[in-house]
């Protein structure tokens, strides 16, 4: 029995949870940044931070592990489409870290860095994920 379909399913479920969680984080950060009364947003920020640490970050780690195991087990590296996909996932992982740090800072009423990235995080996530899906489905190069 092949474990590849199970790894692939785990990889996809982890991706859905991770990206959905990142979109929630991005929307909450963007909304919180627009509020004039920052004390009213602290409860939401803390709840999203706890949820991110318990659900979203583990999903990202599981996605990375399942993906790495599939690459190692099937020797698909060095296809260029896969290299580009991995670079895009690294960028999303960095954005996840940025959003996590921003939520932590906002919840502690500290100044927030990168207001442009905060405003554009949702769009950036959607565009990068669409690119990753296109690369995985069509394997253009």
């Amino acid at each position: 029995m092949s474990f590849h379909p199970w790894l692939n399913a785990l990889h996809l479920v982890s991706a859905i949870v991770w990206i959905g969680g990142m979109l929630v984080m991005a929307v909450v950060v963007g909304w919180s940044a627009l509020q004039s009364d920052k004390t009213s947003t602290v409860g939401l920020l803390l709840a999203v931070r706890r949820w991110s640490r318990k659900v979203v970050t583990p999903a990202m780690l599981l996605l990375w592990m399942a993906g790495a195991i599939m690459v190692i087990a099937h020797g698909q590296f060095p296809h260029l489409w896969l290299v580009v996909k991995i670079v895009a996932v690294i960028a999303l992982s960095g954005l996840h870290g940025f959003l996590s740090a921003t939520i932590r800072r906002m919840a502690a009423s500290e100044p927030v860095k990168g207001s442009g990235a905060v405003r554009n995080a949702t769009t950036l996530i959607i565009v990068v994920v669409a690119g990753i899906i296109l690369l995985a489905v069509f394997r253009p190069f």
Side-chain angles (χ1 to χ4, degrees):
M1 179 176 165
S2 174
F3 287 103
H4 180 74
W6 289 103
L7 279 173
N8 201 17
L10 179 64
H11 187 71
L12 290 171
V13 169
S14 299
I16 291 166
V17 172
W18 178 41
I19 298 306
M22 280 186 60
L23 287 168
V24 168
M25 292 166 67
V27 168
V28 167
V29 164
W31 176 80
S32 297
L34 297 174
Q35 302 307 306
S36 56
D37 179 20
K38 302 299 181 193
T39 58
S40 65
T41 63
V42 171
L44 177 61
L45 289 165
L46 290 173
V48 169
R49 184 171 185 232
R50 275 191 308 274
W51 181 69
S52 173
R53 288 185 4 216
K54 290 180 181 178
V55 177
V56 181
T57 300
M60 177 188 69
L61 296 174
L62 199 54
L63 172 124
W64 271 105
M65 289 188 323
I69 291 169
M70 285 191 295
V71 166
I72 292 167
H74 292 354
Q76 292 182 343
F77 217 62
H79 294 293
L80 184 56
W81 71 268
L82 186 56
V83 173
V84 174
K85 179 184 171 196
I86 290 170
V87 169
V89 174
I90 290 170
L92 281 177
S93 298
L95 182 57
H96 177 212
F98 170 77
L99 288 170
S100 296
T102 302
I103 287 173
R104 181 184 45 78
R105 285 188 185 104
M106 291 176 100
S109 299
E110 295 175 12
V112 175
K113 301 173 186 174
S115 62
V118 167
R119 277 193 313 272
N120 298 316
T122 306
T123 303
L124 187 59
I125 292 166
I126 292 168
V127 168
V128 173
V129 168
I132 289 170
I133 291 169
L134 290 172
L135 285 168
V137 170
F138 292 110
R139 300 177 182 192
F141 35 81

